[in-house]
CSV table of all heavy atoms in Angstrom, one decimal:
chain,number,residue,atom,x,y,z
A,73,LEU,N,30.2,19.4,-24.4
A,73,LEU,CA,31.6,18.9,-24.5
A,73,LEU,C,32.2,19.1,-23.1
A,73,LEU,O,33.1,18.3,-22.7
A,73,LEU,CB,32.3,19.9,-25.5
A,73,LEU,CG,32.3,19.6,-26.9
A,73,LEU,CD1,33.1,20.6,-27.8
A,73,LEU,CD2,32.7,18.1,-27.2
A,74,ALA,N,31.9,20.1,-22.4
A,74,ALA,CA,32.6,20.4,-21.0
A,74,ALA,C,32.0,19.3,-20.1
A,74,ALA,O,32.8,18.7,-19.4
A,74,ALA,CB,32.1,21.8,-20.5
A,75,ALA,N,30.7,18.9,-20.2
A,75,ALA,CA,30.2,17.9,-19.3
A,75,ALA,C,30.9,16.6,-19.6
A,75,ALA,O,31.2,15.7,-18.8
A,75,ALA,CB,28.7,17.7,-19.5
A,76,LEU,N,31.0,16.2,-20.9
A,76,LEU,CA,31.8,15.0,-21.4
A,76,LEU,C,33.2,15.0,-20.8
A,76,LEU,O,33.6,13.9,-20.3
A,76,LEU,CB,31.7,14.9,-22.9
A,76,LEU,CG,30.4,14.4,-23.5
A,76,LEU,CD1,30.5,14.3,-25.0
A,76,LEU,CD2,30.0,13.0,-22.9
A,77,GLY,N,33.9,16.1,-20.9
A,77,GLY,CA,35.3,16.2,-20.5
A,77,GLY,C,35.4,15.9,-18.8
A,77,GLY,O,36.2,15.1,-18.5
A,78,ALA,N,34.4,16.5,-18.2
A,78,ALA,CA,34.3,16.3,-16.8
A,78,ALA,C,34.1,14.9,-16.4
A,78,ALA,O,34.6,14.3,-15.5
A,78,ALA,CB,33.4,17.3,-16.2
A,79,ALA,N,33.1,14.3,-17.2
A,79,ALA,CA,32.8,12.9,-17.0
A,79,ALA,C,34.0,12.0,-17.3
A,79,ALA,O,34.3,11.0,-16.6
A,79,ALA,CB,31.6,12.5,-17.8
A,80,ALA,N,34.7,12.3,-18.3
A,80,ALA,CA,35.9,11.5,-18.8
A,80,ALA,C,37.0,11.5,-17.6
A,80,ALA,O,37.7,10.6,-17.5
A,80,ALA,CB,36.5,12.0,-20.0
A,81,ILE,N,37.0,12.6,-16.8
A,81,ILE,CA,38.0,12.7,-15.7
A,81,ILE,C,37.3,12.1,-14.6
A,81,ILE,O,38.0,11.3,-13.8
A,81,ILE,CB,38.3,14.1,-15.4
A,81,ILE,CG1,39.0,14.8,-16.5
A,81,ILE,CG2,39.1,14.3,-14.1
A,81,ILE,CD1,39.2,16.2,-16.5
A,82,GLY,N,36.0,12.3,-14.2
A,82,GLY,CA,35.5,11.9,-13.0
A,82,GLY,C,35.3,10.4,-12.9
A,82,GLY,O,35.3,9.9,-11.9
A,83,LEU,N,34.8,9.8,-14.0
A,83,LEU,CA,34.4,8.4,-13.9
A,83,LEU,C,35.6,7.5,-13.6
A,83,LEU,O,35.7,6.8,-12.6
A,83,LEU,CB,33.7,7.9,-15.3
A,83,LEU,CG,32.3,8.2,-15.4
A,83,LEU,CD1,31.7,8.0,-16.8
A,83,LEU,CD2,31.4,7.5,-14.3
A,84,PRO,N,36.8,7.5,-14.4
A,84,PRO,CA,37.9,6.6,-14.0
A,84,PRO,C,38.5,7.0,-12.7
A,84,PRO,O,38.8,6.2,-11.9
A,84,PRO,CB,38.9,6.8,-15.2
A,84,PRO,CG,38.4,8.1,-16.0
A,84,PRO,CD,37.0,8.2,-15.7
A,85,LEU,N,38.6,8.4,-12.4
A,85,LEU,CA,39.2,8.8,-11.3
A,85,LEU,C,38.3,8.4,-10.0
A,85,LEU,O,38.9,7.8,-9.0
A,85,LEU,CB,39.5,10.2,-11.2
A,85,LEU,CG,40.3,10.8,-10.1
A,85,LEU,CD1,41.7,10.2,-10.1
A,85,LEU,CD2,40.4,12.4,-10.2
A,86,GLY,N,37.0,8.5,-10.2
A,86,GLY,CA,36.1,8.0,-9.2
A,86,GLY,C,36.2,6.6,-8.8
A,86,GLY,O,36.3,6.1,-7.7
A,87,LEU,N,36.3,5.8,-9.9
A,87,LEU,CA,36.4,4.4,-9.7
A,87,LEU,C,37.7,4.0,-9.0
A,87,LEU,O,37.7,3.2,-8.1
A,87,LEU,CB,36.4,3.7,-11.1
A,87,LEU,CG,36.4,2.1,-11.1
A,87,LEU,CD1,35.3,1.6,-10.2
A,87,LEU,CD2,36.5,1.5,-12.5
A,88,LEU,N,38.8,4.8,-9.5
A,88,LEU,CA,40.1,4.5,-8.8
A,88,LEU,C,40.0,4.8,-7.3
A,88,LEU,O,40.5,4.1,-6.4
A,88,LEU,CB,41.1,5.4,-9.4
A,88,LEU,CG,42.6,5.0,-9.1
A,88,LEU,CD1,43.0,3.7,-9.8
A,88,LEU,CD2,43.5,6.2,-9.6
A,89,LEU,N,39.4,6.0,-7.0
A,89,LEU,CA,39.3,6.4,-5.6
A,89,LEU,C,38.4,5.4,-4.8
A,89,LEU,O,38.8,5.1,-3.6
A,89,LEU,CB,38.7,7.8,-5.5
A,89,LEU,CG,39.6,8.9,-5.9
A,89,LEU,CD1,38.9,10.2,-6.0
A,89,LEU,CD2,40.8,9.1,-5.0
A,90,ALA,N,37.3,4.9,-5.4
A,90,ALA,CA,36.6,4.0,-4.7
A,90,ALA,C,37.2,2.7,-4.4
A,90,ALA,O,37.2,2.2,-3.2
A,90,ALA,CB,35.3,3.7,-5.5
A,91,VAL,N,38.0,2.2,-5.4
A,91,VAL,CA,38.7,1.0,-5.2
A,91,VAL,C,39.8,1.3,-4.0
A,91,VAL,O,40.0,0.4,-3.1
A,91,VAL,CB,39.5,0.5,-6.4
A,91,VAL,CG1,40.5,-0.6,-6.3
A,91,VAL,CG2,38.5,0.1,-7.5
A,92,GLY,N,40.4,2.5,-4.1
A,92,GLY,CA,41.3,2.8,-3.1
A,92,GLY,C,40.7,2.8,-1.7
A,92,GLY,O,41.2,2.2,-0.6
A,93,ARG,N,39.5,3.4,-1.6
A,93,ARG,CA,38.9,3.5,-0.2
A,93,ARG,C,38.4,2.2,0.2
A,93,ARG,O,38.3,2.0,1.5
A,93,ARG,CB,37.7,4.5,-0.3
A,93,ARG,CG,37.2,4.9,1.1
A,93,ARG,CD,36.2,6.1,1.0
A,93,ARG,NE,36.0,6.4,2.5
A,93,ARG,CZ,35.3,7.5,2.7
A,93,ARG,NH1,34.8,8.3,1.8
A,93,ARG,NH2,35.1,7.8,4.0
A,94,LEU,N,38.1,1.2,-0.7
A,94,LEU,CA,37.6,0.0,-0.3
A,94,LEU,C,38.7,-1.1,0.0
A,94,LEU,O,38.5,-2.1,0.4
A,94,LEU,CB,36.8,-0.7,-1.4
A,94,LEU,CG,35.3,0.0,-1.6
A,94,LEU,CD1,34.8,-0.5,-2.9
A,94,LEU,CD2,34.3,-0.5,-0.4
A,95,SER,N,40.0,-0.6,-0.3
A,95,SER,CA,41.1,-1.5,-0.1
A,95,SER,C,41.4,-1.8,1.3
A,95,SER,O,41.0,-1.2,2.2
A,95,SER,CB,42.3,-0.8,-0.8
A,95,SER,OG,43.5,-1.5,-0.3
A,96,HIS,N,42.0,-3.1,1.4
A,96,HIS,CA,42.3,-3.5,2.7
A,96,HIS,C,43.7,-3.0,3.2
A,96,HIS,O,44.0,-3.1,4.4
A,96,HIS,CB,42.4,-5.1,2.8
A,96,HIS,CG,41.1,-5.7,2.5
A,96,HIS,ND1,40.0,-5.5,3.4
A,96,HIS,CD2,40.6,-6.4,1.5
A,96,HIS,CE1,39.0,-6.2,2.9
A,96,HIS,NE2,39.3,-6.7,1.7
A,97,HIS,N,44.4,-2.3,2.2
A,97,HIS,CA,45.6,-1.8,2.7
A,97,HIS,C,45.6,-0.3,3.1
A,97,HIS,O,45.1,0.5,2.3
A,97,HIS,CB,46.6,-1.9,1.4
A,97,HIS,CG,46.8,-3.3,0.9
A,97,HIS,ND1,47.6,-4.1,1.7
A,97,HIS,CD2,46.3,-4.0,-0.1
A,97,HIS,CE1,47.5,-5.4,1.1
A,97,HIS,NE2,46.9,-5.3,-0.1
A,98,ALA,N,46.0,0.0,4.2
A,98,ALA,CA,45.8,1.3,4.8
A,98,ALA,C,46.5,2.3,3.9
A,98,ALA,O,46.1,3.5,3.8
A,98,ALA,CB,46.4,1.5,6.2
A,99,TRP,N,47.6,1.9,3.2
A,99,TRP,CA,48.4,2.8,2.2
A,99,TRP,C,47.6,3.3,1.1
A,99,TRP,O,47.8,4.3,0.7
A,99,TRP,CB,49.7,2.1,1.8
A,99,TRP,CG,50.7,2.2,2.8
A,99,TRP,CD1,51.2,1.2,3.6
A,99,TRP,CD2,51.5,3.3,3.2
A,99,TRP,NE1,52.2,1.6,4.5
A,99,TRP,CE2,52.4,2.9,4.3
A,99,TRP,CE3,51.4,4.6,2.9
A,99,TRP,CZ2,53.2,3.8,4.9
A,99,TRP,CZ3,52.3,5.6,3.6
A,99,TRP,CH2,53.2,5.2,4.4
A,100,PHE,N,46.6,2.4,0.7
A,100,PHE,CA,45.7,2.9,-0.3
A,100,PHE,C,44.5,3.6,0.2
A,100,PHE,O,43.9,4.6,-0.3
A,100,PHE,CB,45.2,1.8,-1.2
A,100,PHE,CG,46.3,1.1,-2.0
A,100,PHE,CD1,46.6,-0.2,-2.0
A,100,PHE,CD2,47.0,1.9,-3.0
A,100,PHE,CE1,47.6,-0.8,-2.8
A,100,PHE,CE2,48.1,1.3,-3.7
A,100,PHE,CZ,48.3,0.1,-3.6
A,101,ARG,N,44.0,3.0,1.3
A,101,ARG,CA,42.8,3.4,1.9
A,101,ARG,C,42.7,5.0,2.4
A,101,ARG,O,41.9,5.7,2.0
A,101,ARG,CB,42.3,2.5,3.0
A,101,ARG,CG,40.7,2.6,3.2
A,101,ARG,CD,40.3,1.5,4.3
A,101,ARG,NE,41.0,1.6,5.5
A,101,ARG,CZ,41.7,0.6,5.9
A,101,ARG,NH1,41.8,-0.5,5.3
A,101,ARG,NH2,42.3,0.6,7.0
A,102,TRP,N,43.8,5.2,3.1
A,102,TRP,CA,43.7,6.5,3.7
A,102,TRP,C,43.9,7.7,2.8
A,102,TRP,O,43.1,8.7,2.8
A,102,TRP,CB,44.9,6.7,4.9
A,102,TRP,CG,44.4,5.9,6.1
A,102,TRP,CD1,44.8,4.7,6.5
A,102,TRP,CD2,43.5,6.3,6.9
A,102,TRP,NE1,44.2,4.4,7.6
A,102,TRP,CE2,43.3,5.3,8.0
A,102,TRP,CE3,42.6,7.4,7.0
A,102,TRP,CZ2,42.4,5.4,9.0
A,102,TRP,CZ3,41.7,7.6,8.1
A,102,TRP,CH2,41.6,6.5,9.1
A,103,PRO,N,44.9,7.6,1.8
A,103,PRO,CA,45.0,8.7,0.8
A,103,PRO,C,43.7,8.8,0.0
A,103,PRO,O,43.2,9.8,-0.2
A,103,PRO,CB,46.1,8.3,-0.1
A,103,PRO,CG,46.9,7.3,0.6
A,103,PRO,CD,45.9,6.6,1.5
A,104,ALA,N,43.1,7.7,-0.3
A,104,ALA,CA,41.8,7.7,-1.2
A,104,ALA,C,40.8,8.5,-0.4
A,104,ALA,O,40.1,9.3,-0.9
A,104,ALA,CB,41.4,6.3,-1.6
A,105,THR,N,40.6,8.0,0.9
A,105,THR,CA,39.7,8.6,1.8
A,105,THR,C,39.8,10.1,1.9
A,105,THR,O,38.9,10.9,1.8
A,105,THR,CB,39.6,8.0,3.2
A,105,THR,OG1,39.5,6.6,3.1
A,105,THR,CG2,38.4,8.4,3.9
A,106,ALA,N,41.1,10.5,2.1
A,106,ALA,CA,41.3,11.9,2.3
A,106,ALA,C,41.0,12.7,1.1
A,106,ALA,O,40.4,13.7,1.1
A,106,ALA,CB,42.8,12.0,2.6
A,107,VAL,N,41.4,12.2,-0.1
A,107,VAL,CA,41.1,12.9,-1.4
A,107,VAL,C,39.6,13.1,-1.5
A,107,VAL,O,39.0,14.2,-1.8
A,107,VAL,CB,41.8,12.2,-2.6
A,107,VAL,CG1,41.2,12.8,-3.9
A,107,VAL,CG2,43.1,12.2,-2.4
A,108,ILE,N,38.8,11.9,-1.4
A,108,ILE,CA,37.4,12.0,-1.5
A,108,ILE,C,36.8,13.0,-0.6
A,108,ILE,O,35.9,13.8,-1.0
A,108,ILE,CB,36.7,10.5,-1.2
A,108,ILE,CG1,37.2,9.6,-2.4
A,108,ILE,CG2,35.2,10.6,-1.2
A,108,ILE,CD1,36.8,8.1,-2.0
A,109,GLU,N,37.1,12.9,0.7
A,109,GLU,CA,36.5,13.8,1.7
A,109,GLU,C,36.8,15.3,1.4
A,109,GLU,O,36.0,16.2,1.5
A,109,GLU,CB,36.9,13.5,3.1
A,109,GLU,CG,36.4,12.1,3.5
A,109,GLU,CD,34.8,12.2,3.7
A,109,GLU,OE1,34.2,13.2,3.8
A,109,GLU,OE2,34.3,11.0,3.4
A,110,ALA,N,38.1,15.5,0.9
A,110,ALA,CA,38.5,16.9,0.7
A,110,ALA,C,37.7,17.5,-0.4
A,110,ALA,O,37.2,18.6,-0.4
A,110,ALA,CB,40.0,16.9,0.4
A,111,PHE,N,37.5,16.8,-1.6
A,111,PHE,CA,36.9,17.3,-2.7
A,111,PHE,C,35.4,17.3,-2.5
A,111,PHE,O,34.8,18.0,-3.3
A,111,PHE,CB,37.3,16.6,-4.0
A,111,PHE,CG,38.6,17.0,-4.5
A,111,PHE,CD1,39.8,16.3,-4.3
A,111,PHE,CD2,38.7,18.1,-5.2
A,111,PHE,CE1,41.0,16.7,-4.8
A,111,PHE,CE2,40.0,18.7,-5.7
A,111,PHE,CZ,41.1,18.0,-5.4
A,112,ARG,N,34.8,16.6,-1.6
A,112,ARG,CA,33.5,16.6,-1.2
A,112,ARG,C,33.1,17.8,-0.3
A,112,ARG,O,32.0,18.2,-0.1
A,112,ARG,CB,33.0,15.4,-0.7
A,112,ARG,CG,32.3,14.5,-1.8
A,112,ARG,CD,32.2,13.0,-1.4
A,112,ARG,NE,31.6,12.9,0.0
A,112,ARG,CZ,30.4,12.6,0.3
A,112,ARG,NH1,29.6,12.6,-0.7
A,112,ARG,NH2,30.0,12.4,1.5
A,113,ALA,N,34.2,18.3,0.3
A,113,ALA,CA,34.0,19.3,1.3
A,113,ALA,C,34.3,20.8,1.0
A,113,ALA,O,34.1,21.7,1.8
A,113,ALA,CB,34.7,18.9,2.7
A,114,VAL,N,34.6,20.9,-0.4
A,114,VAL,CA,35.1,22.2,-0.7
A,114,VAL,C,34.2,22.6,-2.0
A,114,VAL,O,33.9,21.7,-2.8
A,114,VAL,CB,36.6,22.1,-1.2
A,114,VAL,CG1,37.1,23.2,-2.0
A,114,VAL,CG2,37.4,22.0,0.0
A,115,PRO,N,33.9,23.9,-2.2
A,115,PRO,CA,33.0,24.2,-3.3
A,115,PRO,C,33.9,24.2,-4.6
A,115,PRO,O,35.0,24.4,-4.6
A,115,PRO,CB,32.6,25.7,-3.0
A,115,PRO,CG,33.4,26.2,-2.0
A,115,PRO,CD,34.1,25.0,-1.3
A,116,VAL,N,33.1,23.7,-5.6
A,116,VAL,CA,33.8,23.5,-7.0
A,116,VAL,C,34.4,25.0,-7.4
A,116,VAL,O,35.4,25.1,-8.0
A,116,VAL,CB,32.7,23.2,-8.2
A,116,VAL,CG1,33.4,23.0,-9.4
A,116,VAL,CG2,31.9,22.1,-7.7
A,117,LEU,N,33.6,26.0,-7.1
A,117,LEU,CA,34.1,27.3,-7.6
A,117,LEU,C,35.4,27.7,-7.0
A,117,LEU,O,36.2,28.4,-7.7
A,117,LEU,CB,33.0,28.4,-7.1
A,117,LEU,CG,33.3,29.8,-7.7
A,117,LEU,CD1,33.3,29.9,-9.1
A,117,LEU,CD2,32.2,30.9,-7.0
A,118,LEU,N,35.7,27.3,-5.7
A,118,LEU,CA,37.0,27.6,-5.2
A,118,LEU,C,38.1,26.9,-5.9
A,118,LEU,O,39.2,27.4,-6.2
A,118,LEU,CB,36.9,27.1,-3.7
A,118,LEU,CG,38.3,27.6,-2.9
A,118,LEU,CD1,38.3,29.0,-2.6
A,118,LEU,CD2,38.4,26.7,-1.6
A,119,ILE,N,37.9,25.7,-6.4
A,119,ILE,CA,38.9,24.9,-7.1
A,119,ILE,C,39.0,25.5,-8.5
A,119,ILE,O,40.1,25.6,-9.1
A,119,ILE,CB,38.5,23.4,-7.2
A,119,ILE,CG1,38.4,22.9,-5.8
A,119,ILE,CG2,39.5,22.6,-8.0
A,119,ILE,CD1,37.9,21.4,-5.7
A,120,ILE,N,37.9,26.0,-9.2
A,120,ILE,CA,38.0,26.7,-10.4
A,120,ILE,C,38.9,28.0,-10.2
A,120,ILE,O,39.8,28.2,-11.1
A,120,ILE,CB,36.7,27.0,-10.9
A,120,ILE,CG1,35.9,25.8,-11.3
A,120,ILE,CG2,36.7,28.0,-12.1
A,120,ILE,CD1,34.5,26.1,-11.8
A,121,TYR,N,38.7,28.7,-9.0
A,121,TYR,CA,39.4,29.9,-8.8
A,121,TYR,C,40.9,29.5,-8.8
A,121,TYR,O,41.9,30.2,-9.1
A,121,TYR,CB,39.0,30.6,-7.6
A,121,TYR,CG,38.0,31.7,-7.9
A,121,TYR,CD1,37.3,31.6,-9.2
A,121,TYR,CD2,37.4,32.4,-6.9
A,121,TYR,CE1,36.3,32.5,-9.4
A,121,TYR,CE2,36.4,33.3,-7.1
A,121,TYR,CZ,35.8,33.4,-8.5
A,121,TYR,OH,34.8,34.2,-8.7
A,122,ILE,N,41.2,28.3,-8.1
A,122,ILE,CA,42.6,27.9,-8.0
A,122,ILE,C,43.2,27.7,-9.4
A,122,ILE,O,44.4,28.1,-9.6
A,122,ILE,CB,42.8,26.6,-7.1
A,122,ILE,CG1,42.4,26.9,-5.6
A,122,ILE,CG2,44.1,25.9,-7.2
A,122,ILE,CD1,42.4,25.7,-4.7
A,123,PHE,N,42.4,27.1,-10.3
A,123,PHE,CA,42.9,26.9,-11.7
A,123,PHE,C,43.1,28.1,-12.3
A,123,PHE,O,43.9,28.4,-13.3
A,123,PHE,CB,42.0,25.9,-12.3
A,123,PHE,CG,42.5,24.5,-12.2
A,123,PHE,CD1,42.1,23.8,-10.9
A,123,PHE,CD2,43.1,23.8,-13.1
A,123,PHE,CE1,42.5,22.5,-10.7
A,123,PHE,CE2,43.6,22.5,-12.9
A,123,PHE,CZ,43.2,21.9,-11.7
A,124,MET,N,42.2,29.2,-12.0
A,124,MET,CA,42.2,30.4,-12.7
A,124,MET,C,43.3,31.4,-12.2
A,124,MET,O,43.9,32.0,-13.1
A,124,MET,CB,40.8,31.1,-12.7
A,124,MET,CG,39.8,30.7,-13.6
A,124,MET,SD,38.3,31.4,-13.2
A,124,MET,CE,38.5,33.0,-13.8
A,125,PHE,N,43.5,31.5,-10.9
A,125,PHE,CA,44.3,32.5,-10.4
A,125,PHE,C,45.5,32.0,-9.7
A,125,PHE,O,46.5,32.8,-9.7
A,125,PHE,CB,43.4,33.3,-9.4
A,125,PHE,CG,42.3,34.0,-9.9
A,125,PHE,CD1,41.0,33.8,-9.4
A,125,PHE,CD2,42.3,34.8,-11.1
A,125,PHE,CE1,39.9,34.4,-10.0
A,125,PHE,CE2,41.3,35.4,-11.8
A,125,PHE,CZ,40.0,35.1,-11.1
A,126,ALA,N,45.5,30.8,-9.1
A,126,ALA,CA,46.7,30.3,-8.3
A,126,ALA,C,47.6,29.6,-9.2
A,126,ALA,O,48.8,30.0,-9.1
A,126,ALA,CB,46.2,29.5,-7.1
A,127,LEU,N,47.1,28.6,-9.9
A,127,LEU,CA,48.1,27.8,-10.7
A,127,LEU,C,48.9,28.5,-11.7
A,127,LEU,O,50.1,28.3,-11.9
A,127,LEU,CB,47.4,26.6,-11.3
A,127,LEU,CG,46.8,25.5,-10.3
A,127,LEU,CD1,46.3,24.3,-11.0
A,127,LEU,CD2,47.8,25.2,-9.2
A,128,PRO,N,48.3,29.6,-12.4
A,128,PRO,CA,49.1,30.4,-13.3
A,128,PRO,C,50.3,31.0,-12.6
A,128,PRO,O,51.4,31.2,-13.3
A,128,PRO,CB,48.1,31.4,-13.8
A,128,PRO,CG,46.9,30.8,-13.7
A,128,PRO,CD,46.9,30.0,-12.5
A,129,GLN,N,50.3,31.2,-11.4
A,129,GLN,CA,51.5,31.8,-10.7
A,129,GLN,C,52.6,30.9,-10.7
A,129,GLN,O,53.7,31.2,-10.4
A,129,GLN,CB,51.1,32.2,-9.3
A,129,GLN,CG,50.1,33.4,-9.2
A,129,GLN,CD,49.7,33.7,-7.7
A,129,GLN,OE1,50.4,33.6,-6.8
A,129,GLN,NE2,48.4,34.0,-7.6
A,130,TYR,N,52.4,29.6,-10.9
A,130,TYR,CA,53.4,28.6,-10.9
A,130,TYR,C,53.7,28.2,-12.4
A,130,TYR,O,54.3,27.1,-12.6
A,130,TYR,CB,53.0,27.3,-10.1
A,130,TYR,CG,52.6,27.6,-8.7
A,130,TYR,CD1,51.3,27.7,-8.3
A,130,TYR,CD2,53.7,27.7,-7.7
A,130,TYR,CE1,51.0,28.0,-7.0
A,130,TYR,CE2,53.3,28.0,-6.5
A,130,TYR,CZ,51.9,28.1,-6.1
A,130,TYR,OH,51.6,28.5,-4.8
A,131,GLY,N,53.2,28.9,-13.3
A,131,GLY,CA,53.3,28.7,-14.8
A,131,GLY,C,52.5,27.5,-15.3
A,131,GLY,O,52.6,27.0,-16.5
A,132,ILE,N,51.4,27.0,-14.5
A,132,ILE,CA,50.5,26.2,-15.0
A,132,ILE,C,49.2,26.9,-15.4
A,132,ILE,O,48.5,27.5,-14.7
A,132,ILE,CB,50.0,25.2,-13.9
A,132,ILE,CG1,51.2,24.6,-13.2
A,132,ILE,CG2,49.1,24.2,-14.4
A,132,ILE,CD1,51.0,23.8,-12.0
A,133,ASN,N,49.1,27.1,-16.8
A,133,ASN,CA,48.1,28.0,-17.3
A,133,ASN,C,47.5,27.3,-18.4
A,133,ASN,O,47.6,27.6,-19.6
A,133,ASN,CB,48.7,29.3,-17.7
A,133,ASN,CG,47.6,30.3,-17.8
A,133,ASN,OD1,46.5,30.1,-17.6
A,133,ASN,ND2,48.0,31.7,-18.0
A,134,PRO,N,46.5,26.3,-18.3
A,134,PRO,CA,45.9,25.5,-19.3
A,134,PRO,C,44.8,26.4,-20.0
A,134,PRO,O,44.5,27.5,-19.5
A,134,PRO,CB,45.3,24.3,-18.6
A,134,PRO,CG,45.0,24.7,-17.3
A,134,PRO,CD,46.1,25.7,-16.9
A,135,ASP,N,44.2,25.9,-21.1
A,135,ASP,CA,43.1,26.5,-21.8
A,135,ASP,C,41.9,26.6,-20.9
A,135,ASP,O,41.7,25.8,-20.0
A,135,ASP,CB,42.9,25.6,-23.0
A,135,ASP,CG,41.9,26.2,-23.9
A,135,ASP,OD1,42.1,27.4,-24.4
A,135,ASP,OD2,40.8,25.6,-24.0
A,136,VAL,N,41.0,27.6,-21.1
A,136,VAL,CA,39.9,27.9,-20.2
A,136,VAL,C,39.0,26.7,-20.2
A,136,VAL,O,38.5,26.3,-19.2
A,136,VAL,CB,39.0,29.0,-20.8
A,136,VAL,CG1,39.6,30.4,-20.3
A,136,VAL,CG2,38.7,29.0,-22.2
A,137,TYR,N,39.0,25.9,-21.3
A,137,TYR,CA,38.2,24.7,-21.3
A,137,TYR,C,38.6,23.7,-20.1
A,137,TYR,O,37.9,23.3,-19.3
A,137,TYR,CB,38.4,23.8,-22.5
A,137,TYR,CG,37.6,22.5,-22.5
A,137,TYR,CD1,36.3,22.4,-22.7
A,137,TYR,CD2,38.4,21.3,-22.5
A,137,TYR,CE1,35.7,21.2,-22.8
A,137,TYR,CE2,37.8,20.1,-22.4
A,137,TYR,CZ,36.5,20.0,-22.7
A,137,TYR,OH,35.9,18.8,-22.7
A,138,TRP,N,40.0,23.6,-19.9
A,138,TRP,CA,40.6,22.7,-18.8
A,138,TRP,C,40.3,23.4,-17.5
A,138,TRP,O,40.1,22.6,-16.5
A,138,TRP,CB,41.9,22.3,-19.1
A,138,TRP,CG,42.1,21.5,-20.4
A,138,TRP,CD1,42.6,21.8,-21.5
A,138,TRP,CD2,41.6,20.2,-20.5
A,138,TRP,NE1,42.5,20.9,-22.5
A,138,TRP,CE2,41.8,19.8,-21.9
A,138,TRP,CE3,40.9,19.3,-19.8
A,138,TRP,CZ2,41.5,18.6,-22.6
A,138,TRP,CZ3,40.6,18.0,-20.4
A,138,TRP,CH2,40.8,17.8,-21.8
Side-chain angles (χ1 to χ4, degrees):
Chain A
L73 280 182
L76 282 179
I81 295 169
L83 280 172
L85 192 59
L87 182 59
L88 193 71
L89 286 171
V91 171
R93 192 168 186 174
L94 286 163
S95 163
H96 296 295
H97 301 285
W99 280 106
F100 292 125
R101 195 170 62 241
W102 284 106
T105 307
V107 170
I108 291 171
E109 291 299 333
F111 279 99
R112 264 160 47 94
V114 164
V116 187
L117 186 60
L118 186 71
I119 302 176
I120 291 180
Y121 274 7
I122 290 178
F123 273 78
M124 281 173 72
F125 301 127
L127 294 189
Q129 295 174 35
Y130 305 97
I132 305 169
N133 201 356
D135 187 61
V136 283
Y137 175 78
W138 297 110

